[in-house]
Every structure is written in structure tokens, then in C-alpha cells.
Amino acid sequence: MKPEEVRSLFPIMEQRTYLFSGGHSPMSTPAIEAVRELTEQWTYGIAELYERLSEHVEAARTLYARLIGADQDEVAVVDSTGAGSNLAVELTDLKHGGNVVFDEWSYPSSIFPWMLPPKEDLERRFVMSRNGIIELEDIAEAVDDDTIAISISHVTQGEGFRQDLAAVSKIAQEHGALLLVDGAQSAGAVSIDVKELGVDFLSAGACKWLLGAAGVAFFYGKRNLIERIPPPRAGGPSALRPPGSSPADGFTPKPGAARFQLGMPNLLGLAATIPGLEILTQAGKSQVEAHVLELSGYCGQALRERGYEVLTPAEPQRRGGVVAVVMEDPPDVERFMRDQKVDVYSGHTYNRTLRIDPHIFNNSGDIDVFLAKLDEYEAM
Ligand SMILES: Cc1ncc(COP(=O)(O)O)c(C=O)c1O
């Protein structure tokens, strides 16, 4: 499926210039249709739907696993990126006297779980950026044989910086450390192959670049790490329950990531998410990445030419879809743009940036509309 065909599936693009997929992607017509169908079944055929609950979970796991180069049984559906990041930390063995390495842009849910017992006594090391980049040599310097894990974002939300995961994984492996990755701003925008990149745990919400719903997210864990220690939580669907057995007989977790499914799935969220994963699959991850990088590159370049300070690196391998540009008053620009039917984001007050997030359904004309409106704003 070509980008223009993908665009035709998003009704919002007939009304607005939507450039905020790093917050929440808009709904596509296949997703609207799937939710309508689910609502119909919920209304008139709920008993039948109830019998097929797990089909939705399995479909989503399969599609997502394929997208990231994982096996289906290494993927669990969770409810947020943060939930997946917490699970990854819980599955990380505690080594006394160890440390964990972050970078200064690691997302809070990649950091806070390490501040809870029993891991709160680990030394926390933060690698700072230099010239807008988290340098690999600085990560290498922070990591030693006592490092349990490196916990970072693939693409950072405030800067749009993309880390070289294969290189970080090499550093981690040299010291027996695990690599925990927040993929909320990368999965669905740039190509990911967890095996090739050497990622141990990956967590990503569905509602951003994966074109799905809030309340649905995906956890990936390498198979040997999933099964190495008992799961931190247990529920009915997470257990192997041979016919005739009773819970009193004991808890045997299911093999693979199915052990992390604790109860009833988020059916509405999954119904809205599966079509998004199908669209990305049909577009193909290399085409999606090429398109997203072309647009984020075009946007960054045009802003630089206008004299703005763009935090997002110009090199394509160092960015994804997020473009962050420093503005005097980002919320004011965001408000102006919203009135002009252009959706961008100003939430990162700590670095005074406006964010422009082009996805596969955007085109260079959308960037041109944003730039023309920006020129208008500056001329006021
Ligand atoms: C890098 C990153 N991680 C995590 C999140 C939050 O995701 P969730 O609300 O699914 O935990 C965001 C949201 O913007 C994000 O940008």
C-alpha cells in the first residue's frame, strides 16, 4: 500500500493537517469499521463474542510480533508503554551492588520502576547528551561489569533523537547487561527488528505510531528472559490449566509471554488497534520508515533554513518521525495552529519546543501547510 492510499484511509486528513502521531494517531476507516462491528456484536451477539475473546489478542500479538521481528509467543498485550516497561524491570534479575544506566532523555516509566523496592538501592547512572546526541562512547563509559541494565528510549519524545540500538546492545552484551527499550516513539515509524538489534525487552503503546488505540500496548521479551524467573503477577489466563485441575493444585505459568495476560482483554482497544497494525504491515516497514524519514528530514531542514534551532538531528539514522524545534512560546504557536486546523504539539515545556510528527499518511504538502502557517504566525 502506497502512502497516498494510506492517507485516503484517514478521514481527518480531509479536514485538518494532522501532524501529531507522536501523541495519538487519528482513527482510520478500517478501525472505525472494526469498532462498529465489535459494537454490533457486543449489542446483539455477545455470547458468541465471549467465546472468541482470545482471537483478538492473538491477532494483535501476531501482527505486532511480525512488525518487530519477534516470535508471537514473545509478545504480550499490556495496557500502556509504562506497564510494559515496569514488567521488563520486574523480569530483570537483581544483582547486589549493581547499577543501571539511563540517558538523560530516558522516559519516566523507564526510570521510576528502578526507584521501587527491591531495586531502589541500585546505583543509577545518567548519560548526558553532548551537542544534541547521546554519544555511544559516553554510554560505553557508564556501563561496567556491575551494570544490570541499560534502560533507554529508541526515539526520544522531547528531541526526536534516535539511538543506535545495535551499538548499545553490543555495549550491554560485553558487560552481561540487558537492554530495555521504550519504543513508544519508534515502533510503527521506523523499522525495528528486535533480534537484529539485540533488544532484550521492548515496550510500545499502540496509540502513537502503531496507529492503534490508547489503553493497548505491546510488551516484547526475549524468550529465555521471559521464562527465566517466575512472572511477577498471575491470573487465570496466565496459567496452564489442564482439564480437571484446580487452582489449589498450584500455579504453572503458560510458556512464553502468554503468562503475562492476566484477565479479560481490552476488546474495544484491540478492535481499533488491529486495523492499524494491518495498515502498517501492508505498507511495509521499510516504506513507512523511508517516508517518515523523508518528511521529518524535509521539515527539519526547512525549519533550519528559516533560522530555527531544531533539536532533532539532521542525519536520518539519528531520528524517526518526531521533529522538535525550539520556539519562544510553543503553546501559543500550538493554539494558533489548532485554530488554523493544523495539529502539532507543545507539551515539552522543559525544552521550549514545538513538535511536528509526520507519519505514513502525511505528505510534504502537510509540512508546507505547517510552514506557511508558521510564517503567518511569525509575521503577526
Ligand atoms: C517515549 C515515550 N514513552 C512512553 C510514553 C507514554 O506511554 P504510555 O502512556 O503508553 O505509558 C510516551 C508518551 O508520550 C513517550 O513519548
Side-chain angles (χ1 to χ4, degrees):
M1 204 191 293
K2 295 284 164 220
E4 280 306 310
E5 214 178 316
V6 177
R7 184 181 183 85
S8 71
L9 299 176
F10 287 85
I12 195 173
M13 300 313 291
E14 289 160 23
Q15 298 183 4
R16 306 184 66 82
T17 302
Y18 193 81
L19 289 162
F20 184 32
S21 290
H24 202 311
S25 52
M27 211 163 186
S28 64
T29 40
I32 295 166
E33 211 28 65
V35 168
R36 193 174 289 145
E37 209 174 289
L38 181 85
T39 311
E40 189 77 11
Q41 280 183 300
W42 189 344
T43 311
Y44 300 110
I46 185 65
E48 205 182 309
L49 181 66
Y50 190 83
E51 273 171 25
R52 296 175 30 230
L53 284 179
S54 61
E55 283 175 22
H56 293 77
V57 180
E58 296 317 304
R61 289 175 74 199
T62 303
L63 283 161
Y64 179 73
R66 257 189 238 139
L67 263 186
I68 62 160
D71 294 331
Q72 196 241 26
D73 70 351
E74 295 173 305
V75 168
V77 176
V78 291
D79 60 19
S80 64
T81 313
S85 301
N86 271 269
L87 181 53
V89 176
E90 286 162 346
L91 292 170
T92 307
D93 252 346
L94 189 61
K95 222 195 301 172
H96 184 70
N99 64 74
V100 56
V101 172
F102 311 94
D103 65 47
E104 68 165 314
W105 298 327
S106 292
Y107 199 77
S109 51
S110 294
I111 302 169
F112 291 157
W114 294 98
M115 296 176 171
L116 293 174
K119 296 192 161 84
E120 81 277 30
D121 291 334
L122 290 172
E123 183 193 345
R124 293 183 287 272
R125 299 178 177 172
F126 287 84
V127 177
M128 305 310 276
S129 63
R130 279 193 283 146
N131 304 318
I133 300 255
I134 304 289
E135 297 283 3
L136 290 169
E137 61 189 85
D138 294 340
I139 295 181
E141 201 165 304
V143 175
D144 59 26
D145 289 345
D146 288 329
T147 303
I148 290 173
I150 303 174
S151 182
I152 56 172
S153 290
H154 189 191
V155 171
T156 69
Q157 78 284 355
E159 303 73 20
F161 167 73
R162 172 158 51 132
Q163 187 51 277
D164 178 350
L165 293 182
V168 178
S169 161
K170 195 157 166 281
I171 296 169
Q173 281 171 19
E174 278 165 11
H175 294 280
L178 296 174
L179 176 58
L180 279 60
V181 177
D182 177 323
Q185 294 296 355
S186 64
V190 296
S191 212
I192 294 179
D193 186 309
V194 284
K195 309 269 156 147
E196 266 175 29
L197 296 173
V199 171
D200 293 305
F201 294 108
L202 177 76
S203 184
C207 74
K208 302 180 188 296
W209 304 90
L210 289 169
L211 304 176
V216 174
F218 297 99
F219 163 86
Y220 158 81
K222 227 186 213 170
R223 187 180 290 101
N224 64 321
L225 298 172
I226 290 174
E227 296 182 347
R228 189 175 56 160
I229 56 177
R233 279 158 277 175
S238 62
L240 273 182
R241 299 173 73 182
S245 69
S246 141
D249 299 337
F251 171 63
T252 308
K254 278 184 180 156
R259 65 183 54 199
F260 304 126
Q261 307 298 164
L262 299 180
M264 292 283 278
N266 174 355
L267 279 182
L268 262 177
L270 287 168
T273 296
I274 290 166
L277 297 173
E278 282 167 345
I279 290 169
L280 291 170
T281 304
Q282 283 164 28
K285 56 184 178 183
S286 48
Q287 179 179 236
V288 174
E289 172 171 317
H291 188 78
V292 164
L293 291 184
E294 191 183 318
L295 293 183
S296 61
Y298 175 54
C299 184
Q301 177 64 19
L303 288 165
R304 282 190 182 90
E305 281 166 10
R306 282 165 164 77
Y308 291 99
E309 183 191 350
V310 177
L311 300 185
T312 310
E315 302 83 358
Q317 71 278 10
R318 291 214 183 264
R319 62 178 148 78
V322 170
V323 179
V325 55
V326 177
M327 296 265 160
E328 282 280 306
D329 188 351
D332 196 50
V333 186
E334 184 193 90
R335 267 192 302 275
F336 172 82
M337 291 287 171
R338 188 75 45 88
D339 288 346
Q340 303 288 318
K341 301 189 175 171
V342 178
D343 296 308
V344 289
Y345 179 58
S346 72
H348 293 290
T349 44
Y350 70 93
N351 59 8
R352 291 197 344 265
T353 51
L354 189 74
R355 229 182 57 196
I356 307 102
D357 306 332
H359 203 343
I360 179 72
F361 56 80
N362 291 111
N363 59 30
S364 59
D366 296 334
I367 306 292
D368 291 335
V369 170
F370 160 71
L371 292 167
K373 296 293 175 194
L374 187 61
D375 293 343
E376 258 180 57
Y377 174 86
E378 294 291 7
M380 280 194 312

